[in-house]
Amino acid sequence: MKFSENWLRSLVDVKVDSSTLQDQITMLGLEVDDVQPVAGQFDNVIIGEVIEAEQHPNADKLRVTKVNVGQENLIDIVCGAANCRKGLKVAVAMVGATLPGDFKIKAAKLRGEPSEGMLCSYSELGINEESEGIIELPEDAPIGMNLREYLDLDDKMIEVSVTPNRADANSILGIARDVAAYYDLKLKTPKIEITEPTTDAILKISIEAPIACPKYLGRVIKNVDMQAKTPIWMKEKLRRSGIRSIDPIVDVTNYVLIELGQPMHAFDFNKIEGGIKVRMAKKDEKITLLDNQTVSLNEDVLVIADNNKALAMAGIFGGLNSGVTADTQSIVLESAFFHPLAITGRARRYGLHTDASYRYERGVDYQLPFQAMHRATELILAICGGEAGEIVEAISDEHMPKQNSITLRFKRIAQLLGYQIESSIIEPILTRLGCEIEDASTRDEKIWLVKVPSWRFDMAIEEDLIEEIARIDGYDKIVSQNIESELIIRKKSETALTIERLKYSLVEKGYYEAITYSFVCPKIQSMLHPNQVAEILPHPISQDMSAMRLSLLPGLLSAVVYNQNRQQTRLRLFEYGLCFTPDKESDLGISQTAHLGGVLTGLRYPEHWCFDKSQADYFDAKGDVEALLSLTGKMENFHFVHSKHNALHPGQSADIYLGDEYVGFVGVLHPLIEKALDLNGKTMVFQLNWDSINETILPAPQELSKYPANRRDIAIIVNNDVEAKKILQICKEVGKRSLIEVKLFDVYEGKGIAEGQKSLAISLVLQENNRTLTEDEISQTVNACVSALKHHVGASLRE
C-alpha cells in the first residue's frame, strides 16, 4: 500500500515530524518499506502562460515563445517540446533556478534567439510521471504561483507492507484510523454528499450466486463527458499511490479504492444487454479482458454478466466488450461485496494480479458499497457531468457477514500480555478503533461485550482484542523482565564456526562421513608424506597399524580401496579428526591438530538417465572445498597457489592460504600413488586445518541497490604463468566500490593465440547504491582495469 503523507495528515492532524510518524506506523504493525519524495529538489519554478509560440527561424524542432509569469514584461523562452502551444499553462524554471541534479538555469541564446528560462517536463523536475513534452497545467492554474506550492510537492510517498489479516489498512482511511486511534485524535473522514437521482434510468440486477456475492449495487449515470480531464489534485494523489491516470471514470474508481478501500468498476451502459446478473461462469465460458487476453473460465469463477454474455470476472478484471471508452456516453457504476473465498486464487490461476482482487481476497468492509457508490457518483458528476439514476441494490441478507460480538475479560489481558494495563484506558482504545462497548461485569470480574466494526475481519476472538489493546497502547510500554531460568550459556563466541555445519554441507553434496583409525600403515603413510617423520607405536595392534597418522589421507584412501573392491565406483567420503606430528616442545612430544579431510572419485553425478557420465575432476574437489571455506565469510581472503605436495599431481593441485597462513591443500592424487594403492581411476583429496578456519564473520545487513547493474566483458591475452586470481584482484582494486563482481568465465589456448600465452574472458559487473552509473563512468572503470592489467601483468586486449 502506497500513499501520500500529506493526504494522511489531511485526515489526521498529527503534530509529529515525518520520521516519527513513519516509525509509529511501523510500530502499529504496518511496516514502512519505503519512503520517497514526490519530486526532486528544485527551486524558483513558477506557473506561467504561453502567450505566443512561433516557429524558430533557425531550427525546425524549436519554438520561440513569450511567456507570462506574472511580471511586468513577458519573457522569451526557446522550447523544443512538441506540445508547446499558445494558451498553455506551464511550469517555468526562471533564470537562477536550480533543478534536480544541481542543474542551474541561465540566460542563453539558442540558435540566435534569446532564452530566459526553461519550460519544464515532469522528468526534469524529478517527478515520476509518464508524459510527453512539457507539463500541461489546468487552465485555472494561477500565473506566478510557486509550482511546489501549487502541486503540494513538499510531500513524501510512503509504502507500507500490509499483512494479510489487516485488509482494512489497504486504504488511506484505514491507515488514518490506526494513526488517529494511537494519537487519540479526531479522524476527519471524507465528507460524502448523497446524490439524489436526476434521471429515471435504472438497470435490473439479480444475484444468482448469493454465497459468493451477497450484495451488489449498480447505478446508471447518463451523458458523461469522457473528454473531461481528471483534476490535477486527483492525478497527483493517484500518482503518489502508485497509480497511473487513465481516464476520468477509471481515475475516480481508483481514487475511491485508495481513499475508502472499496474496489469499483464501470461498464458502458449501452453495451449491456438486458440487466446485470451475478452468477458463476458456465463451463468453458470465454471472456476477453481489458488487456485483450481471452480466457476460458472454470465453473468456480464468479462473473458479472448481462442476459447474453459475461461482462467481467467479478472482483478481478473487467471485460473488453463492456469497458468504458472515449466514445462512452452513459455508464453503470458497480459497487459490491464479494466473499473473499469466491475471489481467492482465481486471479493467479489466469496470471492476473489487480488491486481489486488483492483487496477482495483479503476482505472488504461489507457496509462500504453504499458509501463508495455515493462518493464515486459525487466525483464523476463534478468532473464529467451527467445525470445519476437511482442506486439499485440486490442483497441476500442471510449470506451477509454478521457483526462479531466478543467477550473480553480484564484478568485475561494481564495473563496474555504479561503486564497489567489500566482498565480505564481499555474502553477508549477499543472505541477509537470503531468497536461498540457494553459493560457486562459481574461482582467478581470486570467483563466487556465488544462488537467489532465491519471493516475488521481479523477481530474474531478475545486474543485479537487484547492484541489490539497492546498495539494501540504501545508495544514500547511492555515492560522488559528478566527470565528466571537456570540456563547454561555456552562458552563460545558467536563467531565460532561449528564442525557440524561443515559436515552438513558435505553431506548435502553427497559425501558420507568416515571414521578411521588414528594409527595407520607406515608404508602407505611414507608414500604420502615421504619427508615427514611419524610417531611409531611401541606396541601396535599390527604392523599395518603401527604409525600415528600425519594426515587423514591414509585412512580415507584405505576406505576408498575397501569400497572399490566391493563394486562401489562412485565415492565421496570425509573425516574430521586429530592428526599427530612429533614435536618436542608439545606435551608428551606430540602435536595434535584437528583436520577435516575428504576424498572423491568416480562419476561426477549419481548414475541417472538425465545426467551425463563424466568423471569427477580437480575442479569438483576445489568447488567443494570453496563451499566449505565460504562458510567462514572470508572467501575473498583465501587463495590457492600451485602445490608441491609429494602426494599430489604436480599440475592439478593447490595449497590453500588464508592471507599468509597455510590452511590446507586440495588436488588430484599423484598417478604413481594411485597405482601403488591400486585405486581405480582418478582420485581427488583435500584437507583443511580446522583451527585455521573455525571462525566466521557475523553477517551484517547491507542495503540492496535499487539501481541497475551493468555488465561488461573483456578478453585479455597474458602469459601462461600469470594466475587468474591476480588478474581478478587487480580489477577489484581498480574498480573499488563501483565494481561489485569480477568473474573469469572462459580460458582459451590454441589457434589465434601465441604459444606460451592464454586468453582469459572476464566479466565486470558495476553498480552504485545511490544512483545509476553513466556510460562514461562505466567506460572509465573498464578502461582503468585494462590499463592496470597491462601495467602489472603485461595484458593486452584480444582482438
Side-chain angles (χ1 to χ4, degrees), residues 593-746:
T593 54
H595 290 83
L596 177 66
V599 58
L600 60 155
T601 185
L603 294 174
R604 175 173 285 115
Y605 306 110
E607 191 170 7
H608 193 274
W609 61 268
C610 68
F611 293 148
D612 65 50
K613 295 194 169 36
S614 59
Q615 298 289 313
D617 59 20
Y618 165 76
F619 292 103
D620 294 290
K622 183 172 181 284
D624 292 343
V625 170
E626 288 178 332
L628 296 176
L629 298 178
S630 68
L631 297 177
T632 67
K634 309 172 186 175
M635 194 58 214
E636 291 190 357
N637 298 327
F638 287 96
H639 57 276
F640 296 73
V641 299
H642 180 73
S643 176
K644 296 182 180 179
H645 197 294
N646 296 93
L648 303 180
H649 192 296
Q652 301 179 47
S653 59
D655 290 330
I656 307 168
Y657 286 85
L658 175 58
D660 296 329
E661 181 186 3
Y662 174 81
V663 298
F665 60 84
V666 59
V668 179
L669 203 63
H670 198 289
L672 294 178
I673 294 178
E674 286 179 354
K675 184 177 181 180
L677 296 178
D678 202 21
L679 290 166
N680 297 331
K682 184 182 291 187
T683 304
M684 280 62 65
V685 295
F686 63 84
Q687 182 170 287
L688 300 171
N689 184 343
W690 174 241
D691 291 335
S692 300
I693 63 169
N694 62 5
E695 290 285 327
T696 185
I697 297 174
L698 289 178
Q702 293 183 346
E703 183 180 358
L704 292 175
S705 177
K706 300 177 183 178
Y707 299 91
N710 298 271
R711 170 172 169 160
R712 298 293 185 270
D713 295 343
I714 58 173
I716 60 171
I717 296 176
V718 294
N719 292 333
N720 279 335
D721 60 351
V722 177
E723 294 181 351
K725 184 174 182 64
K726 184 175 182 180
I727 292 173
L728 300 183
Q729 188 61 41
I730 292 171
C731 291
K732 289 178 182 178
E733 291 174 358
V734 172
K736 298 181 180 177
R737 190 164 61 92
S738 296
L739 191 61
I740 63 170
E741 185 179 275
V742 185
K743 283 187 177 180
L744 171 70
F745 65 87
D746 189 39

Side-chain angles (χ1 to χ4, degrees), residues 5 50 81 83 160 173 223-224 270 456 461 466 518 692 709 720 788:
E5 181 182 325
V50 179
N83 63 330
V160 298
L173 181 60
N223 301 321
V224 293
N270 295 323
R456 290 302 298 270
I461 58 176
I466 295 171
S518 298
S692 300
N720 279 335

Side-chain angles (χ1 to χ4, degrees), residues 225 228-231 233-234 248 251-252 378-385:
D225 179 11
K229 292 187 178 296
T230 303
W233 63 265
M234 182 178 287
D251 289 350
V252 166
E378 172 192 351
L379 293 169
I380 289 173
L381 295 182
I383 298 169
C384 302

Side-chain angles (χ1 to χ4, degrees), residues 42-82:
F42 62 85
D43 57 34
N44 203 13
V45 178
I46 62 177
I47 297 172
E49 181 180 6
V50 179
I51 304 301
E52 296 179 12
E54 304 294 340
Q55 181 66 47
H56 194 293
N58 302 317
D60 293 339
K61 295 184 179 181
L62 297 179
R63 286 180 175 81
V64 179
T65 69
K66 289 189 178 293
V67 182
N68 177 12
V69 292
Q71 297 178 357
E72 184 177 348
N73 298 318
L74 301 180
I75 62 173
D76 296 316
I77 297 179
V78 176
C79 179

